[in-house]
Amino acid sequence: MTRPRLDPHKTYRFAAALLAGFGLALLSGCKLAQVFSLSGHQSTVHVDGPVAQSQQNLFMVTVYVCTFIFVVVGAVLAYAQIKFRAKSESDEHAEPPPQGHGNPFVEIGLIAASVALLVVIAIPTLQGIWYTHDVPEEELKNGPAIEVTATGYQWWFKFEYPSEMVKLPAGGEAPLVTGNELVVPAGMPVRVQLRTVDVIHSFWIPKLAGKVDMMPNRGNFLWFKADKPGYYYGQCAEYCGESHAIMRFRVIALSARDYTLWLENQKQPARVANAEAIAAAASAPRVQFASLKMAPGEALSASPQFDADPLGAWREMQKPEAGEDAALIATGRKLFQEKTCISCHTVRGHEGIGITGPDLTRVGARSTIAAGVLENTRERMHEWIKNPNHYKPGNKMFNGGYTDVETRQSKFTLNDGEIDALVAYLHSLK
Ligand code: CUA
């Protein structure tokens, strides 16, 4: 018998694998500091809500138990390897020492230890399942939970507020609807009903809660609470087709006062940006958020630094932009009808009545477009409208809206000037 030697090829391959893993972590867009501190936008370690915290606690219990097992088994193994190793040539050919197989003390002891460790994991697991299943009583002391229905589409999210009814222009009422950005009050429990219109999606906000599947013909739900106002990153966590990886969304948690202001504004019919309205908005913005300090006529920065202050950037999006052009907006609104956008999108109070795509009544006030993929700047929206299939391959706006799915023929053309008008119109919807 020969002792195993280190094979230089194996060592090389191990080092290469290690380097590749390290490189992948870098390629994934994580900053190096984030890789090691496990922070970042979608961290499940640095969490901001009780549901994610309970999931994180359970994870840590499992880590501790597994670390304990690893250390004990590893130590026993190392001890046996060193103590009973062959020390001479005759040891190499010696009979094995008496074996411990069948020793009742060892066997019953190992079974008991395994059961005890499983119980240590099972208790917080059951507590966690119970706690995360539905909003606990103690969270409902200050009033009922905020109710939201989230619906998955290939590839975006619709959010409905069934208890926040809005008056429809044609008469009657319907729940408030928004797309890809779920706005909630901080410190309040939110119960999310999970639905899908097509395939299975999964709803996941790593820092707040997750993940629960959106299943066809099955009503799932989850609850979460954001401890403090903030801007949270969510995404679909179940493979659902070619653009699954870019099916994202945001959760914006506001103070109670800001949330009320937001709701008030959302419930209004779509803004009509004629010359008088633009002049009025310049001196008195329609929505003034608590921390928003805007000088009259102040210009908005074209590309807010989201990483530095995403919630601040989102707040900036809430007010009408400087330099709105009523004529261009009116042209955009007309094009929105002529180019058949209205058949898939709703702009409550204007012409749009479609339900296939996201509700756009307040799309200009969202910080992102295309299900959280692009920052909602004029330039980005121009690029998105010009070539949606580039940013979200297979999406139904392009495949079916712009082009006939069967013949691949374009249904209409859009030149840059027309897109500029459409962008002006959509960005006027605050
Ligand atoms: Cu929706 Cu993956």
Side-chain angles (χ1 to χ4, degrees), residues 295-325:
E298 179 194 8
L300 291 174
S301 79
S303 179
Q305 296 304 308
F306 274 83
D307 274 341
D309 181 15
L311 184 59
W314 181 86
R315 288 184 199 279
E316 284 290 301
M317 295 298 291
Q318 306 307 304
K319 58 188 176 179
E321 291 167 28
E324 284 184 312
D325 179 342

Side-chain angles (χ1 to χ4, degrees), residues 176-232:
L176 174 64
V177 177
T178 179
N180 299 319
E181 292 198 356
L182 173 59
V183 178
V184 298
M188 293 276 285
V190 182
R191 188 187 285 110
V192 189
Q193 301 290 335
L194 301 166
R195 304 285 184 267
T196 173
V197 296
D198 36 52
V199 299
I200 302 176
H201 302 275
S202 182
F203 186 82
W204 189 31
I205 324 151
K207 279 175 173 258
L208 298 178
K211 29 181 122 145
V212 177
D213 279 3
M214 304 167 125
M215 312 273 286
N217 302 317
R218 184 193 161 104
N220 276 351
F221 63 96
L222 61 73
W223 79 277
F224 71 86
K225 182 173 90 170
D227 286 335
K228 53 183 198 292
Y231 189 91
Y232 300 99

